[in-house]
Amino acid sequence: MSQHLIKDLIPREELLDSGHLACPGCGAALAMRMVLKGLGENTIVALPACCWSIIAGPWPQSSLHVPLYHTAFETGASVASGIKAALVARGDTETTVMAWAGDGGTFDIGLQALSGAAERNEDFIYCCYDNEAYMNTGIQRSSATPWGAWTTTTPAAHPEAHPKKDILSILAAHGIPYAATATIAHPDDLIAKIRKAKGIRGTRFIHILAPCPPGWKAGDDETIALARMAVKARVFPLLEVEAGQRWRITLDPPREPVGPYLRKQGRFRHLSDADIAQIQELVDRRWETLERRVRDGG
Amino acid sequence: MKKVMVGNHAVSWGVKLARAEVIAAYPITPQTQIVEELAEMTADGRLAARFIKVESEHSAMAACIGAAATGVRAFTATSSQGLLLMHELLHWAGLGRLPIVMADINRAVAPGWSIWTDQNDTLAQRDTGWVQLYCETNQEVLDTTVQGFKLAETVDLPVMIVLDAFFLSHTSEPVDVPDQAEVDAFLPRREARLKLDVHDPHAFGALTTPAVYMELRLRQQEAFDRAREAFAAVDREWAERFGRGYGALESYRTEDAEIVLVTSGTITSTTRHVVNERRARGERIGLVKVKMFRPFPTGPLRDALSHVPAVAVLDRNISPGHGGIFAEEIRAALYDLPPGRRPRIDGYVVGLGGRDVTPAVIEDCLERTRRSQAEAAAAAANGGAEREIAREDIWVGVKP
Ligand SMILES: Cc1ncc(C[n+]2csc(CCOP(=O)(O)OP(=O)(O)O)c2C)c(N)n1
Ligand code: SF4
Ligand SMILES: [Mg+2]
């Protein structure tokens, strides 16, 4: 897609101020900026504990130009359910309610609330910005942390021993109308998905890869390159799933091996070539499953 | 062996020395260093424990409950929101009589988000059936952690070790780390009397009808009564072996005192400084530090505070709609002392959400009590009404 088209696609309106408190090169800040461009100002945000609790600014400030409710770590989906119900109770069926949570708040402590809401098909958009660990508390593993990664609770001598939880499949299995993945390096794809989600009723789930320079031990000018490489290496495919059945790969750039992507990040520095070959195998296997789903459905 | 370490690592070292066998924990600021250090210790084999990296504090406590019910030594650590999320399971561990040890870093409760210290997280767990021990120094943190396991296993009650966010959790102090062999002699491997055991099957926690539930509660209450003496014995033995003891309560320069300040946690150290300065000027000021909050040290408090004319309780906590929680409890504990031996008790709410409690704040409380005491004395001399005991606590160091 040419530069010109992307510019036309992305609204100029800024609903996130530049004075926010994210680290330089933070993928999470960029993710919020893009998502709000897609949703517009008629949006209310429910925000469980995560880096964004800080990025949003301390009282009495807010870096967002939309209403924001800070809430307990495990409650993103349930507080969003309540906000939506209240709006509807007073006749407002138009305002979009968005829960905005990290991977910890989604894959781990908030999963019960999210599963409950998805099963009830609550009418909100749930965005998970995924930096693959608990960054706010200083880089501890989550179930989104990929196999082999270093974190402070998975030291290099004993790195993460489990593959990343397949959250998209879990959400899709609830049969919700719309679930998708996106990254901050593909704003056109991201905003198109957000807009599509906005036009659907029921639970919509968007899983956004948002690299974190300190947590990934990468340069703060590499955030976007890393997200782009993750897609090319098929570590993080760009997908959408409708009604839990219709799987589609929305962008499929020429395939690249996982090695260069992993080698760019300090959190994988300890991995041997054999480890990397093992990760390649895992990625290839997941891709095969994905292709089968695209072909045969859910 | 002396090591310089932060309070969080003093907890981790205590847990290592106690040879905890199952650790289940979840990160939260400012506790996370405890978990990180224990993750390293278990990963590199310095501690032979199973470490369960659970997905929430609710599951952390539940996993400790499963482990302790199976007869092993279980540990977790948390803070603030994490402790609050555990609440249901805290009752489960308490009434289930499971000797779990947990460290809580006192951190104020949201909303708005705060990571700084106050005691509302732990005091909200007052009635969950956990022993609560508040610490003043990193040495005390390490010692109390090991002692906590022994106490817990002696009386079959869970024990909470409490320390202030940042003032202890992230502050480095020299800490004497006892020898492992000596700790092993003090604290042998846990041998549970009852546990999940296929050779001796029991069911735990089954339906308990009104015909027996009260007795269950009574046994728990009796265990708390025993915990007072058990803690004293554990502390005595610790002192004999390692040369340091703390007591449920510490009286500091209270001899002939006209006013005694009552504190817990790190406010105590600042108050010691104020007391020393005042004593140097010839003023009769003393300090009582409350270490044990549950079981409440009613007897020692009555011994320490009867005959003192005026007491000023500093509470880094608030029970909304009532007042400072320590002041409340101390008033209740002393209420039925005979008139003449019952001190006048002023309560001060200070330092919430991590606001500094400086010597100036403590002096402010002290001067207020001195004034109210003088007024009461003058009123009494004029044949005025008997002084009132229960009054509203005063918030010090706060903008109106
Ligand atoms: C009940 C509870 N437990 C723990 C915490 C501490 N905590 C705050 S944010 C956070 C990690 C968040 O991780 P994630 O959701 O991945 O977001 P990130 O910080 O990585 O952006 C943790 C553990 C909390 N606030 N509440
Ligand atoms: S730690 Fe990572 S996710 Fe958090 S603000 Fe910094 S860059 Fe963003
Ligand atoms: Mg994260």
Side-chain angles (χ1 to χ4, degrees):
Chain A
M1 194 175 283
S2 80
Q3 208 57 17
H4 179 68
L5 276 174
I6 288 181
K7 232 168 76 184
D8 288 348
L9 202 96
I10 298 173
R12 285 183 175 276
E13 189 184 19
E14 296 289 356
L15 293 172
L16 166 63
D17 278 332
S18 57
H20 62 72
L21 295 185
C23 315
C26 174
L30 201 48
M32 177 71 93
R33 180 171 168 227
M34 292 299 151
V35 166
L36 284 183
K37 279 173 181 281
L39 289 179
E41 59 187 6
N42 196 18
T43 303
I44 295 177
V45 178
L47 179 71
C50 55
C51 265
W52 250 100
S53 311
I54 303 301
I55 301 172
W59 185 90
Q61 298 164 335
S62 174
S63 58
L64 299 187
H65 287 263
V66 296
L68 164 62
Y69 196 80
H70 288 274
T71 181
F73 197 12
E74 65 284 359
T75 63
S78 22
V79 166
S81 303
I83 295 171
K84 184 67 194 186
L87 292 173
V88 172
R90 292 287 173 95
D92 176 356
T93 54
E94 288 316 304
T95 300
T96 301
V97 175
M98 174 176 72
W100 180 267
D103 48 294
T106 303
F107 289 57
D108 293 342
I109 199 167
L111 188 60
Q112 174 177 332
L114 176 55
S115 174
E119 183 273 329
R120 299 188 302 271
N121 199 22
E122 296 285 353
D123 187 18
F124 60 61
I125 297 182
Y126 188 107
C127 286
C128 168
Y129 70 95
D130 183 0
N131 49 29
E132 304 196 316
Y134 299 158
M135 297 311 177
N136 176 254
T137 37
I139 324 171
Q140 295 83 28
R141 81 168 292 266
S142 76
S143 58
T145 304
W147 185 92
W150 163 92
T151 69
T152 58
T153 47
T154 50
H158 294 264
E160 176 55 39
H162 309 279
K164 184 183 180 84
K165 188 187 277 184
D166 183 1
I167 196 75
L168 196 74
S169 295
I170 293 170
L171 267 295
H174 286 73
I176 55 173
Y178 190 69
T181 62
T183 88
I184 47 132
H186 307 82
D188 44 345
D189 178 78
L190 169 57
I191 289 182
K193 285 169 176 165
I194 292 290
R195 285 189 166 149
K196 182 166 180 178
K198 193 183 168 184
I200 298 171
R201 292 278 145 134
T203 306
R204 293 140 284 164
F205 177 76
I206 316 283
H207 179 199
I208 307 167
L209 186 70
C212 161
W216 290 20
K217 306 245 166 286
D220 55 23
D221 56 352
E222 289 176 325
T223 311
I224 291 173
L226 279 169
R228 191 169 291 137
M229 289 172 89
V231 173
K232 286 185 178 157
R234 294 177 169 176
V235 169
F236 197 90
L238 290 173
L239 308 171
E240 58 182 22
V241 195
E242 286 172 294
Q245 291 296 320
R246 297 184 297 280
W247 289 68
R248 196 167 77 82
I249 296 168
T250 59
L251 203 73
D252 188 12
R255 175 181 174 278
E256 283 177 9
V258 296
Y261 168 70
L262 299 173
R263 288 289 181 222
K264 231 177 152 54
Q265 305 170 53
R267 64 176 173 153
F268 294 115
R269 186 177 300 128
H270 52 276
L271 294 186
S272 67
D273 289 344
D275 292 333
I276 289 184
Q278 195 171 328
I279 292 174
Q280 185 69 63
E281 218 183 286
L282 195 74
V283 166
D284 291 347
R285 230 181 309 127
R286 282 206 171 175
W287 185 264
E288 274 169 32
T289 310
L290 178 60
E291 285 189 317
R292 204 171 328 117
R293 279 180 164 158
V294 169
R295 208 173 48 237
D296 306 339
Chain B
M1 170 186 49
K2 285 250 190 216
K3 282 176 83 77
V4 173
M5 61 176 83
V6 296
N8 278 336
H9 289 164
V11 174
S12 311
W13 276 86
V15 172
K16 175 184 180 299
L17 287 167
R19 296 191 191 276
E21 295 163 274
V22 171
I23 299 166
Y26 194 70
I28 184 164
T29 306
Q31 165 276 134
T32 308
Q33 289 172 329
I34 300 176
V35 181
E36 289 174 345
E37 176 101 336
L38 287 169
E40 295 249 354
M41 285 173 169
T42 47
D44 65 22
R46 275 180 291 161
L47 174 60
R50 307 285 304 179
F51 194 123
I52 313 175
K53 293 163 194 164
V54 286
E55 78 296 340
S56 75
E57 292 85 356
H58 198 266
S59 294
M61 184 47 64
C64 285
I65 285 170
T70 313
V72 311
R73 195 165 281 162
F75 173 81
T76 187
T78 191
S79 182
S80 182
Q81 309 302 129
L83 184 67
L84 301 184
L85 185 59
M86 286 180 183
H87 185 76
E88 181 193 13
L89 285 316
L90 296 183
H91 281 280
W92 209 280
L95 204 45
R97 305 288 304 275
L98 296 169
I100 298 162
V101 171
M102 166 165 61
D104 183 86
I105 312 301
N106 267 150
R107 158 181 155 179
V109 165
W113 286 120
S114 169
I115 53 170
W116 298 278
T117 202
D118 76 35
Q119 299 171 323
N120 261 76
D121 58 348
T122 48
L123 292 176
Q125 315 309 327
R126 185 182 71 170
D127 302 330
T128 56
W130 283 64
V131 172
Q132 290 197 1
L133 302 171
Y134 290 75
C135 298
E136 184 192 351
T137 66
N138 291 351
Q139 182 71 62
E140 185 177 355
V141 167
L142 184 147
D143 293 350
T144 309
T145 303
V146 184
Q147 291 179 338
F149 283 100
K150 179 130 176 172
L151 174 61
E153 291 165 20
T154 306
V155 289
D156 293 314
L157 289 175
V159 172
M160 202 181 293
I161 315 296
V162 187
L163 50 152
D164 290 350
F166 300 107
F167 297 123
L168 282 189
S169 69
H170 285 66
T171 302
S172 292
E173 292 181 344
V175 173
D176 179 49
V177 180
D179 189 60
Q180 181 70 59
E182 286 178 53
V183 173
D184 289 345
F186 169 81
L187 182 70
R189 194 177 126 98
R190 178 177 171 213
E191 296 299 343
R193 281 183 297 119
L194 281 172
K195 60 180 178 183
L196 294 168
D197 180 357
V198 290
H199 303 296
D200 181 21
H202 295 275
F204 297 85
L207 181 71
T208 306
T209 67
V212 282
Y213 186 88
M214 272 190 80
E215 286 69 22
L216 182 72
R217 279 292 191 187
L218 181 60
R219 295 290 98 76
Q220 181 185 33
Q221 179 70 0
E222 289 165 353
F224 270 92
D225 290 341
R226 285 200 304 281
R228 292 194 177 88
E229 183 38 44
F231 175 72
V234 165
D235 196 42
R236 232 177 359 255
E237 186 187 343
W238 186 265
E240 281 159 16
R241 288 178 184 275
F242 304 104
R244 294 180 298 270
Y246 301 93
L249 206 76
E250 180 197 340
S251 291
Y252 181 73
R253 307 191 76 172
T254 52
E255 67 285 353
D256 76 14
E258 285 171 335
I259 299 177
V260 167
L261 293 148
V262 180
T263 60
S264 58
T266 54
I267 290 181
T268 308
S269 306
T270 317
T271 308
R272 278 183 209 279
H273 164 78
V274 170
V275 166
N276 288 340
E277 286 205 327
R278 295 287 173 138
R279 283 277 175 184
R281 283 193 246 147
E283 295 177 32
R284 286 152 60 187
I285 309 293
L287 161 70
V288 164
K289 159 183 163 183
V290 182
K291 176 185 176 76
M292 179 184 271
F293 180 71
R294 279 292 179 276
F296 199 65
T298 305
L301 268 167
R302 288 161 74 108
D303 292 344
L305 297 179
S306 58
H307 301 299
V308 174
V311 170
V313 183
L314 307 191
D315 267 300
R316 191 169 223 152
N317 60 74
I318 179 68
S319 175
H322 199 358
I325 294 168
F326 279 82
E328 244 173 58
E329 300 234 353
I330 292 170
R331 285 190 189 106
L334 271 53
Y335 183 78
D336 58 353
L337 284 173
R341 286 183 52 204
R342 191 170 59 192
R344 151 187 206 86
I345 300 175
D346 292 334
Y348 298 99
V349 175
V350 296
L352 302 184
R355 184 157 303 179
D356 268 346
V357 180
T358 59
V361 171
I362 297 166
E363 307 218 342
D364 191 348
C365 301
L366 194 57
E367 290 314 317
R368 285 169 192 264
T369 287
R370 198 195 293 286
R371 276 201 303 278
S372 70
Q373 179 64 3
E375 282 162 22
N382 296 335
E386 197 183 317
R387 65 219 165 93
E388 288 174 23
I389 295 246
R391 301 173 315 128
E392 284 200 2
D393 294 343
I394 298 168
W395 292 51
V396 177
V398 69
K399 298 176 204 88

